Amino acid sequence: MTTTFGAPSTLRSGSDVDLGPAVELVSKEEGHRQPLAPEFVSAEDFSPLEVAYDFGRITREEIEAGPRNIWRYKRLLPVPSNVEEIPNTEPGCTKLIRADRLAAELGVKRIWVKDDTGNPTHSFKDRVVAVALAAAREFGFQVLACPSTGNLANAVAAAAARAGWDSVVLIPSSLERAKVLTTAVYDGSLIAIDGNYDDVNRLATELAAENETWAFVNVNVRPYYSEGSKTLAYEVAEQLGWRIPEQIVVPIASGSQLTKVDKGFKELGEVGLVDPTPYKVFGAQATGCSPVSHAFKSGHDVVQPVKPDTIARSLAIGNPADGPYVLDTVSRTGGSIEDVTDEEVVAGIRLLARTEGIFAETAGGVTVATAKKLIEAGKIDPDAETVLLITGDGLKTLDAVEDHIGPKATVPPNVDAVTKVLRG
Amino acid sequence: MTTTFGAPSTLRSGSDVDLGPAVELVSKEEGHRQPLAPEFVSAEDFSPLEVAYDFGRITREEIEAGPRNIWRYKRLLPVPSNVEEIPNTEPGCTKLIRADRLAAELGVKRIWVKDDTGNPTHSFKDRVVAVALAAAREFGFQVLACPSTGNLANAVAAAAARAGWDSVVLIPSSLERAKVLTTAVYDGSLIAIDGNYDDVNRLATELAAENETWAFVNVNVRPYYSEGSKTLAYEVAEQLGWRIPEQIVVPIASGSQLTKVDKGFKELGEVGLVDPTPYKVFGAQATGCSPVSHAFKSGHDVVQPVKPDTIARSLAIGNPADGPYVLDTVSRTGGSIEDVTDEEVVAGIRLLARTEGIFAETAGGVTVATAKKLIEAGKIDPDAETVLLITGDGLKTLDAVEDHIGPKATVPPNVDAVTKVLRG
């Protein structure tokens, strides 16, 4: 580990950085503008900072001629102009699968599954981390860091390894051994913290303040990191033949992904890459951590924090930073938000696996089960097409299904025994 | 389960099937020809049957305009002309990653990693199973089946689910719970057999004989199934800009994959899609199951069966059916075969993860460690480029690394404690 401590400032900002079409940061509440820098909260109104762009003219042909990963959309992202030449993971261009058997089971006309299990570490986090790494390098950071309980830890450790960077990944010491191993294998500085995820998160913010060369992907470079989720919208639209789907169901953790998918669709319309057709965004939560769903159903515009208790751990953020923006987006587009029990989550995982051969993590189970509930309630139009975002892999959350599935039977090695089971 | 038992023959063969460019089966030893049928051994010379083709004219443009999966190569595979329209998984078009950090560590000019962890169930088995399913449907089979200890079970169960077919997957009852779960979730007929893998395999052959509508992918439709591995060669060549790499390292289980990669390169040259430039094929085994490596190093052309004892379970075939053909291919191309200890396998997994952020299963560790050994021995030319086939995912073989990796430390939630560990 050659991590630098207390080194003099080597960070760049403003016009000293090339982040492609990104021109400024803007505060979400009051629209205050400031130069590009590794900052995440406006000093003016204390709201989150978001990247503002000057896109210029972008053509479909130019994108289609780009690499088969998220860097084909580099002119819509806060990344250097030559980003595809710099060592990094190459997430994205995951499959959009026409799910006719699932659609038939749910009684709707057409469902598409955006299957992000095909990413390098098998979750959408590879998208956001790759963008964070690209921006962080341009600012002059030297270490990639995060607090995490799973998918983010994998993605940060893998991306840092590919780039030849040191990584510092902080996890609660109680984390399941499988998630520890899938991070530790990349040989960064994985450190277990005696405390819960809130303790780990607080520690990350303190460490970010004390170590100027550490880019905590979801803290000090969060405005860049979160833009990576827009690529889900870009890909879905391109894969549909350059059009926006009528309905999309997105799981809600911090809420960032849902708002960025919406932002992605809007931008595509604004720059003329697609017709700006109407679309509805639906949000999915687990009932055991459903503060945004609760606020939506109660008609509140404030999200009351909760203490999470659900098997969908990758969505278990009790105080979601982008909750209010999720409520705005869903209301504006005419969507809805629903939540599902842990039993429904497992049923959702099994339904998707049985009908489409796709094994999703618990968050995917939340998305599928919520879609089912919204269809049954008449909120999702069965005659319009729907995209489901499956953002992570079932191999990482085996514990959620292990009490529910297994072999049909255990029999001696002879034909009659097998035949009897199958005829049974 | 609606599996049909003892139904009258519904199977088709010969000119009644559309398997695209496939025209006949030919015996590997004496070249006896026979019509296309679900058979795998020649009645004439008892050697394995292989698919013979009439390719006609195929252009790069036609392939490049095809879908982003193995069906872009349908005119080089034994599959129906409209294969991409039939429900199936969509494997392939996985990443070919330029591994500069790994190359630097190994002291060679250029290494490419073909990363097949990006397939639907995260191994190359999705390729062969998808081709087997497509051919099996054309023959009139109604059930997809296999004996397996891991990756194949996942791939068969998932592909059958996508297609809406029943599946019968037979596993030894001692199989690790994680591998059972990742197959059971697709809700086919997963049956645990009280016996070892040899017992399960024997039972599969008996069941295939008794159940005419069951396609055992690696038994009665094996000639079609195994052709799926050619797509690894096609993709590597296309991703390199339509040229054959100078050197390629392929893991050896049955040996089928290695011979099919060679066949794929040869075919590309024959149909004029690439220049038929020379290439060397290298084989990789784990020392605990290295009958082909042993035969190669001893100069034998017969492979003596062994009892496997290695952590690389997906390669642990003690009596590899295609062993002699592997020896032919490697000798003809000027390659070599080497084997590595379980300790070297783990080191190989860790080297690839640390340098490139790619977490391979034990078979990938075998490939990386063998490449290292062949480079050090001067068998692989450091000034020529080398492709490494990484055919499966580390998430499925966590047990192999769990005693070797973990957090750097477990500390209380404060900045000083973390800093002390990192300065350590």
Side-chain angles (χ1 to χ4, degrees):
Chain A
M1 182 74 188
T2 56
T3 310
T4 313
F5 288 92
S9 176
T10 54
L11 297 184
R12 292 179 290 273
S13 62
S15 57
D16 290 341
V17 296
D18 165 18
L19 291 181
V23 289
E24 279 179 310
L25 292 174
V26 57
S27 72
K28 281 195 88 154
E29 285 301 330
E30 297 174 7
H32 297 282
R33 293 189 163 249
Q34 63 178 77
L36 293 171
E39 296 175 20
F40 59 107
V41 177
S42 165
E44 302 282 340
D45 62 18
F46 307 105
S47 75
L49 291 167
E50 200 166 40
V51 177
Y53 298 92
D54 179 4
F55 288 127
R57 184 178 139 77
I58 306 172
T59 66
R60 293 178 182 176
E61 292 69 28
E62 187 184 331
I63 291 170
E64 288 166 357
R68 295 292 312 174
N69 56 53
I70 60 170
W71 307 133
R72 70 203 276 106
Y73 307 108
K74 67 180 179 181
R75 291 196 48 203
L76 293 157
L77 295 170
V79 295
S81 311
N82 66 338
V83 66
E84 73 276 20
E85 299 163 17
I86 304 168
N88 201 330
T89 54
E90 294 153 11
C93 290
T94 57
K95 292 182 196 301
L96 182 72
I97 294 162
R98 192 170 131 172
D100 288 348
R101 282 171 38 81
L102 177 62
E105 285 250 350
L106 295 180
V108 299
K109 192 175 146 201
R110 176 137 314 159
I111 288 179
W112 299 94
V113 170
K114 180 61 176 168
D115 181 9
D116 245 17
T117 67
N119 275 320
T121 69
H122 308 317
S123 87
F124 90 99
K125 290 290 186 186
D126 291 316
R127 298 175 182 271
V128 286
V129 168
V131 173
L133 172 59
R137 184 192 292 265
E138 187 64 18
F139 284 122
F141 288 101
Q142 295 165 12
V143 175
L144 203 64
C146 72
S148 172
T149 62
N151 286 327
L152 183 58
N154 298 169
V156 163
R162 177 75 62 84
W165 278 34
D166 288 325
S167 64
V168 176
V169 173
L170 309 174
I171 54 172
S173 57
S174 60
L175 197 60
E176 305 99 301
R177 185 137 180 83
K179 289 184 184 164
V180 175
L181 294 173
T182 50
T183 304
V185 73
Y186 302 108
D187 205 30
S189 292
L190 173 64
I191 301 178
I193 305 297
D194 271 331
N196 60 26
Y197 182 65
D198 285 338
D199 296 324
V200 175
N201 227 343
R202 199 176 313 114
L203 179 60
T205 308
E206 291 171 31
L207 282 163
E210 296 221 359
N211 297 281
E212 202 192 51
T213 60
W214 295 14
F216 273 90
V217 295
N218 50 349
V219 183
N220 49 358
V221 293
R222 186 173 180 87
Y224 311 94
Y225 161 89
S226 58
E227 292 287 286
S229 286
K230 293 192 309 182
T231 59
L232 281 160
Y234 301 154
E235 287 181 20
V236 166
E238 184 182 350
Q239 289 170 312
L240 288 175
W242 293 109
R243 62 181 180 81
I244 298 176
E246 296 165 288
Q247 307 177 115
I248 189 164
V249 185
V250 187
I252 301 169
S254 74
S256 170
Q257 183 179 66
L258 187 147
T259 66
K260 296 296 179 175
V261 165
D262 170 57
K263 192 181 181 203
F265 287 144
K266 276 196 293 184
E267 287 173 350
L268 289 180
E270 284 161 14
V271 300
L273 285 164
V274 301
D275 282 336
T277 51
Y279 57 90
K280 294 182 179 182
V281 180
F282 296 85
Q285 294 208 295
T287 304
C289 182
S290 52
V292 189
S293 174
H294 182 75
F296 181 83
K297 292 196 253 186
S298 310
H300 299 156
D301 55 7
V302 173
V303 174
Q304 288 291 340
V306 300
K307 194 169 177 309
D309 178 18
T310 169
I311 57 171
R313 294 190 199 185
S314 64
L315 302 182
I317 297 183
N319 189 11
D322 288 302
Y325 306 112
V326 166
L327 295 171
D328 288 350
T329 299
V330 170
S331 299
R332 175 173 49 75
T333 63
S336 185
I337 306 178
E338 195 42 272
D339 54 86
V340 288
T341 66
D342 284 359
E343 290 68 33
E344 290 172 307
V345 173
V346 171
I349 291 173
R350 297 183 67 183
L351 175 61
L352 183 63
R354 175 168 58 79
T355 54
E356 300 296 340
I358 300 167
F359 185 18
E361 67 164 13
T362 44
V366 170
T367 300
V368 172
T370 298
K372 182 169 187 282
K373 202 165 173 180
L374 289 166
I375 290 164
E376 288 164 357
K379 303 267 175 70
I380 285 181
D381 178 357
D383 295 321
E385 74 184 345
T386 304
V387 172
L388 307 183
L389 289 194
I390 300 301
T391 55
D393 201 293
L395 269 172
K396 298 198 202 176
T397 57
L398 287 176
D399 49 325
V401 294
E402 72 181 339
D403 293 338
H404 302 271
I405 59 176
K408 299 272 182 227
T410 301
V411 302
N414 68 68
V415 168
D416 288 348
V418 172
T419 304
K420 198 171 160 202
V421 170
L422 295 179
R423 282 192 171 143
Chain B
M1 183 75 190
T2 56
T3 310
T4 313
F5 288 92
S9 175
T10 54
L11 296 185
R12 292 179 290 272
S13 62
S15 57
D16 290 340
V17 296
D18 165 19
L19 291 181
V23 289
E24 280 178 310
L25 293 175
V26 57
S27 73
K28 280 195 90 153
E29 285 302 330
E30 297 173 9
H32 297 283
R33 293 189 163 247
Q34 63 179 77
L36 294 170
E39 296 175 19
F40 60 107
V41 178
S42 165
E44 302 282 340
D45 63 17
F46 307 104
S47 75
L49 291 168
E50 200 166 41
V51 177
Y53 298 92
D54 179 5
F55 288 128
R57 183 178 140 76
I58 307 171
T59 65
R60 294 178 182 177
E61 292 68 28
E62 187 184 331
I63 291 170
E64 289 166 356
R68 295 293 311 173
N69 56 54
I70 60 170
W71 306 132
R72 71 203 277 107
Y73 306 109
K74 67 179 179 182
R75 290 196 48 204
L76 294 157
L77 294 170
V79 295
S81 311
N82 66 337
V83 64
E84 73 276 20
E85 298 163 16
I86 303 169
N88 201 331
T89 55
E90 295 152 10
C93 289
T94 58
K95 292 182 196 301
L96 182 73
I97 294 162
R98 193 170 130 171
D100 288 348
R101 282 170 39 79
L102 177 61
E105 286 249 350
L106 295 180
V108 299
K109 191 175 146 201
R110 175 134 318 156
I111 289 179
W112 300 93
V113 170
K114 180 61 177 169
D115 181 9
D116 244 18
T117 67
N119 274 321
T121 68
H122 308 316
S123 88
F124 89 99
K125 290 291 187 186
D126 291 316
R127 298 175 183 272
V128 285
V129 168
V131 173
L133 172 59
R137 184 192 291 266
E138 187 64 18
F139 284 122
F141 288 101
Q142 294 166 11
V143 175
L144 203 65
C146 72
S148 172
T149 62
N151 286 328
L152 184 58
N154 299 168
V156 164
R162 177 75 61 84
W165 277 36
D166 286 326
S167 65
V168 175
V169 173
L170 309 174
I171 54 172
S173 57
S174 60
L175 196 61
E176 305 98 301
R177 186 138 178 82
K179 289 184 184 163
V180 175
L181 294 173
T182 51
T183 304
V185 72
Y186 302 108
D187 204 30
S189 291
L190 173 64
I191 301 179
I193 305 298
D194 271 331
N196 60 26
Y197 182 65
D198 286 337
D199 298 323
V200 175
N201 227 343
R202 197 176 315 115
L203 179 59
T205 308
E206 290 170 31
L207 282 163
E210 298 221 358
N211 296 282
E212 202 191 50
T213 59
W214 294 14
F216 272 89
V217 296
N218 50 348
V219 183
N220 49 357
V221 293
R222 187 173 179 85
Y224 311 94
Y225 163 89
S226 59
E227 291 287 286
S229 285
K230 295 192 308 182
T231 59
L232 280 160
Y234 301 153
E235 287 181 19
V236 166
E238 183 182 351
Q239 289 170 312
L240 289 174
W242 292 110
R243 63 180 179 79
I244 298 175
E246 296 165 288
Q247 307 177 115
I248 187 164
V249 186
V250 187
I252 300 169
S254 73
S256 169
Q257 182 178 67
L258 186 145
T259 66
K260 296 297 180 174
V261 166
D262 170 56
K263 191 180 182 203
F265 286 145
K266 277 197 292 186
E267 286 173 349
L268 290 180
E270 284 161 14
V271 300
L273 285 164
V274 301
D275 282 337
T277 51
Y279 57 90
K280 295 182 178 181
V281 179
F282 296 84
Q285 294 208 296
T287 303
C289 182
S290 52
V292 190
S293 174
H294 183 74
F296 181 83
K297 292 196 252 186
S298 311
H300 299 157
D301 55 7
V302 173
V303 174
Q304 288 291 341
V306 301
K307 195 169 176 306
D309 179 19
T310 169
I311 57 171
R313 296 190 198 184
S314 63
L315 302 183
I317 296 183
N319 188 11
D322 287 303
Y325 306 112
V326 166
L327 295 170
D328 289 349
T329 299
V330 170
S331 300
R332 174 173 49 77
T333 63
S336 185
I337 305 178
E338 196 41 275
D339 54 86
V340 289
T341 65
D342 284 0
E343 290 68 31
E344 290 172 306
V345 173
V346 172
I349 291 172
R350 297 183 66 185
L351 175 61
L352 183 63
R354 176 168 57 79
T355 55
E356 300 296 340
I358 299 167
F359 185 18
E361 66 163 12
T362 44
V366 170
T367 300
V368 172
T370 297
K372 183 170 186 285
K373 202 165 172 179
L374 289 166
I375 290 164
E376 287 164 358
K379 304 266 175 72
I380 285 181
D381 177 357
D383 294 321
E385 74 184 346
T386 304
V387 172
L388 307 183
L389 290 193
I390 300 302
T391 54
D393 200 293
L395 268 172
K396 297 198 202 176
T397 58
L398 287 176
D399 48 325
V401 294
E402 72 181 340
D403 292 338
H404 302 271
I405 59 176
K408 301 272 182 227
T410 300
V411 301
N414 68 67
V415 168
D416 289 347
V418 172
T419 305
K420 199 172 159 203
V421 170
L422 295 179
R423 282 193 171 142

